[in-house]
Amino acid sequence: MIQLRNIQKSFGNQPVLKGIDLTVKKGEVVSILGPSGSGKTTLLRCINFLERPTEGEVMIDDITVSSQKGSKKEILTLRKKTAMVFQQYNLFRHKTVIENVMEGLIVVQKNSKETARKLAMEVLEKVGLTEKANAYPVQLSGGQQQRVGIARALALNPEVILLDEPTSALDPELVGEVLEVIKRIAEEGITMIIVTHEVSFAKDVSDYIVFMDQGEIVEEGTPTVIFNNPKEERTKRFFKRINREAGILESNLSSVI
Amino acid sequence: MDITLIFDFFPKLISYLHITLLILVAAVAIGLVIGVVIALIRIYKVPVLNRLAFIYISFMRGTPILIQLFLIYFGLPALLTLVHIDASRANPLLFVAITYGLSCGASFAEIIRGAINGVEKGQAEAAYSIGMNEKQMMVRVILPQALVIAFPNFANSVIGSLKDTSLAFTIGVMDMVGRGNTLIATSLHALEIYLTLSMIYYGVVICLEKGFSLSEKKLQRFEGSLSAEK
Amino acid sequence: MQIDIPFIFMALIEIFKALPLTIIITLVPLIIGFLIGIGITIIRIRKVKGLYSLANFYVSFLRGTPALMHIMLIYLGFPLLIDKLAVTFRWTFQSTSIPILLFVLMALSLTAGAYMSEIIRAGILAVDQGQLEAAESIGMTNFQAMRRIVFPQAIAISLPNLCNIFIGFLHTSSIAFIVSQKELTGATNIVASNNLKFLEAYIAAALIYWGLTIISEKVTALLEKRVTVYNRGGVI
């Protein structure tokens, strides 16, 4: 179980997160939606302390790391329980696809090279990239790179995978393959927290939806409740705008809003 | 070692700073002329000359300044005897200025060429698209931007040349280091003299760096405002 | 003007024998300087208390003064220090028994350290911040992330600068002749004054340095192709 308690974050005098509380149960897929600048990405980065929160604490399983006192060692333990998928993929440029996946298995989890290779191949199989195992990241399309990013996270078998707008940097025609992979993993019962702009995908894949605006959680609940019956004015407005901007909407999305 | 001697040596040595600066200014002036000409030759790929320019740059980049200094010092008078000019008694400062000028010329040429090539291709296309001719495009659009790109490298190169002037004494120039060596012969306090020299060089380099970085900020105002908007 | 061309060939052969010393005076400082550079970079990036200003001053001073000064200061100053220590601790050791070469190597290592630290720092800053984040997100320590992910990429990015500093130090090594080292330039001086053919001797020396520079550039170009295979795309 993952619990965030009163997470606050300011950059200078600018408050970005104004006290977020959130609980994610094991095996749950949670999507965080909201307009840009609402603090969703910052919240995600606070979970593995890539951003150190100004206030609050993060609890995963048996360990709790607090914003102020969290030591290097505690943060490291926290990061070993999490993995992240980045908007810009951030694959290690000087390593091949399989080396990218093996890196954490060897360096962090201290597996032997052979074991790591075997595990990495299994994961690459899941994301459908075994034939690209020896390619370098620059030789791949954005969609393929992001699938490697997912494989790298998945290989570590973390308590939770944090996905930061995993499809935002992709050309529209490549979004599908990545979403499909994420969906497949979600069905395996892996805990995930996803920051995304893909509203219809979020509805499809999530067990729980969190809607954020201006550094706070405006509304949260099951997809059915949030999409069919939002209570808050801000949530309604957001979906209305998404609706308008999308222009030609996919049929399932327009039926929801 | 006697640190207080530094106070004695300081005025004696700094009174020769103008020779060092004179070499630098002459070298930069000669270098700029050569640099612009060579850069143009290379950009417009003038036949034959382009080849020669390439060899010139490669040679200057490929040999130590010390060797270049000796080559000019011994070679130039020998060349001049062909036209019946006796340069064997010329002031060694002349040879130093020519050597450092040639050396600066080579680096400036590459810096200028790199900067002009470094201006985005779209800039030239945009200039043509509003009806500028090639010269207008070069003078009004490309060069001002190239100057900004070239400036930091140019500044580095000038500071490098200043440090290189410390070798001029090897052919008998009476600059700061030359004067320092005569002081060593009479006072036997070599360490203090070199400490003093180092301090003066450091001071001049710091001043140059400050001056350059101020000018750079002025030059880059359009870049700056751009990043400020982000 | 008369140039004795056969003598240039003779001089070439004679001067070329001094190449090993030039290589030593070039490479040893660069290797030690690389290590110093890494140390300085760590101090500067981590902003280590107390050492930070010192490191900044070291880099700024060494880069702000001619290499000749470094050689002379160490050559003149270090023996004084040794002799003073020898008196205090009653060593029987005397500074005169230290070969001058050692001072040259020490001085140029310090010079190289300052320049190397700038190159390494620029390389590290040029690596995308996301690389470090990705490494830390999978649970690597900061040290592991730097060593395994950031540093190798930084070195690959720095390769052209490393080539430049190699050529720079190849040329700087010529200053060592001022403290009577018989490297290429020192040997040239001897050949020149023994035969009173200065121009020819320096032409020969110039050809050797030029050749060495061109070879270094070619080698770098090859290295760059190998090291940055991951940057080129295409077939491996």
Side-chain angles (χ1 to χ4, degrees):
Chain A
M1 191 173 75
I2 298 149
Q3 217 168 19
L4 311 181
R5 294 194 201 112
N6 187 29
I7 297 291
Q8 296 180 29
K9 175 74 188 174
S10 310
F11 293 113
N13 294 327
Q14 189 73 32
V16 180
L17 297 175
K18 299 170 185 167
I20 304 282
D21 294 286
L22 183 67
T23 304
V24 177
K25 290 193 218 81
K26 203 169 174 58
E28 213 173 33
V29 175
V30 174
S31 289
I32 306 176
L33 303 177
S36 37
S38 57
K40 345 181 260 297
T41 289
T42 309
L43 177 64
L44 200 70
R45 290 164 61 87
C46 279
I47 299 177
N48 63 357
F49 273 62
L50 280 184
E51 303 288 355
R52 187 187 273 267
T54 331
E55 199 65 54
E57 51 189 30
V58 177
M59 198 195 89
I60 298 181
D61 276 355
D62 47 345
I63 66 151
T64 307
V65 185
S66 75
S67 63
Q68 309 289 338
K69 285 173 282 179
S71 68
K72 266 187 187 168
K73 214 175 143 197
E74 286 177 318
I75 293 174
L76 211 60
T77 326
L78 188 74
R79 285 180 183 158
K80 285 180 184 170
K81 289 180 180 290
T82 63
M84 191 170 227
V85 174
F86 295 85
Q87 185 178 355
Q88 298 293 343
Y89 335 129
N90 293 358
L91 297 184
F92 303 132
R93 287 172 61 85
H94 62 312
K95 298 199 176 277
T96 60
V97 164
I98 186 137
E99 285 168 350
N100 262 280
V101 182
M102 288 162 64
E103 188 70 10
L105 291 170
I106 295 172
V107 181
V108 181
Q109 301 193 343
K110 311 288 181 207
N111 286 297
S112 72
K113 244 187 164 158
E114 297 77 56
T115 320
R117 186 171 296 276
K118 207 175 124 266
L119 289 171
M121 261 334 230
E122 284 171 22
V123 183
L124 283 179
E125 178 108 49
K126 276 190 196 168
V127 298
L129 280 172
T130 41
E131 77 280 12
K132 294 281 182 192
N134 293 313
Y136 282 98
V138 281
Q139 297 167 308
L140 305 182
S141 73
Q144 289 170 330
Q145 288 193 51
Q146 193 59 297
R147 279 149 64 196
V148 178
I150 294 167
R152 179 173 68 184
L154 199 57
L156 298 167
N157 197 19
E159 296 294 322
V160 57
I161 300 181
L162 312 168
L163 298 99
D164 180 16
E165 304 196 17
T167 57
S168 298
L170 293 172
D171 290 335
E173 72 271 20
L174 301 177
V175 171
E177 58 180 273
V178 173
L179 293 184
E180 198 185 311
V181 167
I182 298 174
K183 208 166 141 189
R184 216 180 308 145
I185 299 169
E187 284 159 6
E188 286 185 21
I190 288 165
T191 321
M192 291 199 277
I193 304 178
I194 311 173
V195 167
T196 184
H197 286 127
E198 300 283 337
V199 175
S200 65
F201 166 73
K203 181 200 164 236
D204 211 23
V205 80
S206 314
D207 302 305
Y208 201 74
I209 301 282
V210 173
F211 175 71
M212 280 181 69
D213 190 20
Q214 295 179 358
E216 50 197 13
I217 294 179
V218 176
E219 197 166 354
E220 55 188 305
T222 60
T224 341
V225 171
I226 296 288
F227 287 99
N228 297 343
N229 216 346
K231 290 187 190 61
E232 298 291 327
E233 194 49 40
R234 276 194 276 181
T235 321
K236 287 180 196 159
R237 244 185 308 165
F238 174 73
F239 286 130
K240 210 177 258 173
R241 213 190 67 223
I242 291 277
N243 196 346
R244 199 167 53 231
E245 278 169 9
I248 314 154
L249 276 175
E250 290 169 61
S251 54
N252 59 343
L253 182 59
S254 53
S255 69
V256 170
I257 302 168
Chain B
M1 191 175 87
D2 186 355
I3 289 282
T4 54
L5 279 177
I6 290 178
F7 295 105
D8 282 349
F9 291 133
F10 193 83
K12 286 182 188 153
L13 290 171
I14 207 162
S15 64
Y16 281 77
L17 177 61
H18 67 283
I19 305 287
T20 298
L21 294 179
L22 181 70
I23 300 173
L24 183 65
V25 170
V28 170
I30 299 173
L32 273 177
V33 175
I34 298 178
V36 169
V37 173
I38 300 272
L40 289 176
I41 288 174
R42 297 214 61 199
I43 286 169
Y44 290 104
K45 297 208 168 63
V46 182
V48 187
L49 288 182
N50 185 30
R51 189 94 207 125
L52 288 176
F54 177 81
I55 294 172
Y56 162 69
I57 289 169
S58 162
F59 181 80
M60 298 313 271
R61 189 181 140 76
T63 47
I65 189 84
L66 208 48
I67 298 290
Q68 294 167 10
L69 203 53
F70 291 138
L71 273 182
I72 297 285
Y73 183 64
F74 293 110
L76 197 59
L79 262 179
L80 288 176
T81 53
L82 290 182
V83 287
H84 305 292
I85 297 174
D86 181 15
S88 58
R89 284 169 186 278
N91 189 337
L93 256 182
L94 199 67
F95 298 113
V96 171
I98 293 173
T99 309
Y100 286 79
L102 286 171
S103 168
C104 279
S107 29
F108 291 171
E110 284 303 90
I111 290 171
I112 295 168
R113 189 173 72 105
I116 289 179
N117 287 337
V119 177
E120 216 187 313
K121 214 174 147 232
Q123 297 287 318
E125 287 171 0
Y128 287 137
S129 78
I130 58 168
M132 286 190 188
N133 63 32
E134 189 169 343
K135 197 180 149 205
Q136 288 166 327
M137 180 273 293
M138 205 55 177
V139 174
R140 303 195 59 90
V141 178
I142 303 295
L143 284 182
Q145 297 184 51
L147 188 64
V148 177
I149 300 176
F151 196 80
N153 293 329
F154 173 78
N156 269 338
S157 182
V158 171
I159 289 173
S161 293
L162 172 76
K163 288 185 282 179
D164 281 346
T165 63
S166 65
L167 298 173
F169 83 97
T170 51
I171 61 164
V173 169
M174 252 308 159
D175 68 338
M176 285 194 306
V177 183
R179 176 68 186 134
N181 279 322
T182 59
L183 277 176
I184 289 170
T186 55
S187 75
L188 298 172
H189 280 101
L191 181 59
E192 291 83 348
I193 287 171
Y194 271 100
L195 261 178
T196 315
L197 284 172
S198 306
M199 284 160 57
I200 298 176
Y201 273 112
Y202 188 41
V204 176
V205 168
I206 298 261
C207 289
L208 282 178
E209 276 176 353
K210 282 269 177 296
F212 283 136
S213 84
L214 279 177
S215 330
E216 200 181 328
K217 272 193 195 124
K218 275 204 171 144
L219 271 176
Q220 289 184 331
R221 31 184 209 284
F222 59 86
E223 306 271 351
S225 60
L226 213 149
S227 54
E229 272 168 34
K230 277 183 196 167
Chain C
M1 181 171 82
Q2 274 190 322
I3 289 187
D4 186 347
I5 298 201
F7 181 78
I8 294 182
F9 283 104
M10 257 180 53
L12 268 178
I13 295 165
E14 201 54 40
I15 296 167
F16 202 74
K17 290 178 188 160
L19 181 63
L21 188 55
T22 285
I23 301 283
I24 289 173
I25 299 178
T26 306
L27 276 185
V28 172
L30 285 177
I31 293 165
I32 300 176
F34 187 72
L35 299 176
I36 297 177
I38 291 176
I40 295 285
T41 308
I42 292 173
I43 292 173
R44 292 173 82 178
I45 287 185
R46 292 269 163 93
K47 297 211 162 64
V48 179
K49 255 184 226 148
L51 292 178
Y52 180 67
S53 321
L54 204 66
N56 279 344
F57 175 73
Y58 162 76
V59 174
S60 148
F61 183 75
L62 275 278
R63 282 167 47 92
T65 45
L68 173 65
M69 299 295 135
H70 312 157
I71 292 178
M72 295 314 279
L73 289 178
I74 295 285
Y75 169 61
L76 297 166
F78 205 70
L80 288 184
L81 189 72
I82 294 281
D83 288 340
K84 199 161 191 180
L85 288 174
V87 172
T88 333
F89 295 101
R90 297 175 191 282
W91 296 340
T92 50
F93 182 76
Q94 278 195 329
S95 63
T96 41
S97 56
I98 304 175
I100 297 176
L101 176 63
L102 206 63
F103 297 126
V104 173
L105 294 179
M106 279 171 61
L108 290 180
S109 298
L110 290 172
T111 318
Y115 287 95
M116 281 290 191
S117 77
E118 293 285 279
I119 291 176
I120 296 169
R121 187 165 75 144
I124 286 177
L125 291 178
V127 176
D128 182 15
Q129 177 72 19
Q131 296 286 313
L132 183 68
E133 287 185 355
E136 294 193 330
S137 81
I138 60 171
M140 284 196 204
T141 62
N142 187 270
F143 178 76
Q144 286 171 328
M146 287 305 272
R147 193 174 66 85
R148 297 190 56 99
I149 306 300
V150 177
F151 200 67
Q153 294 186 43
I155 292 301
I157 295 172
S158 306
L159 211 58
N161 287 331
L162 290 172
C163 166
N164 278 336
I165 195 179
F166 175 79
I167 292 170
F169 267 69
L170 176 67
H171 296 171
T172 302
S173 70
S174 66
I175 301 176
F177 104 94
I178 293 173
V179 287
S180 49
Q181 292 303 295
K182 293 178 187 61
E183 40 65 72
L184 288 176
T185 304
T188 310
N189 259 334
I190 292 167
V191 170
S193 43
N194 282 350
N195 300 280
L196 292 177
K197 287 190 192 296
F198 290 91
L199 184 55
E200 287 85 346
Y202 286 111
I203 291 176
L207 289 176
I208 293 176
Y209 279 112
W210 194 10
L212 291 174
T213 305
I214 291 175
I215 293 170
S216 321
E217 285 169 344
K218 295 266 182 270
V219 170
T220 315
L222 281 177
L223 268 180
E224 221 165 322
K225 265 191 193 158
R226 280 188 64 113
V227 173
T228 57
V229 65
Y230 59 85
N231 270 336
R232 289 184 298 135
V235 194
I236 308 161

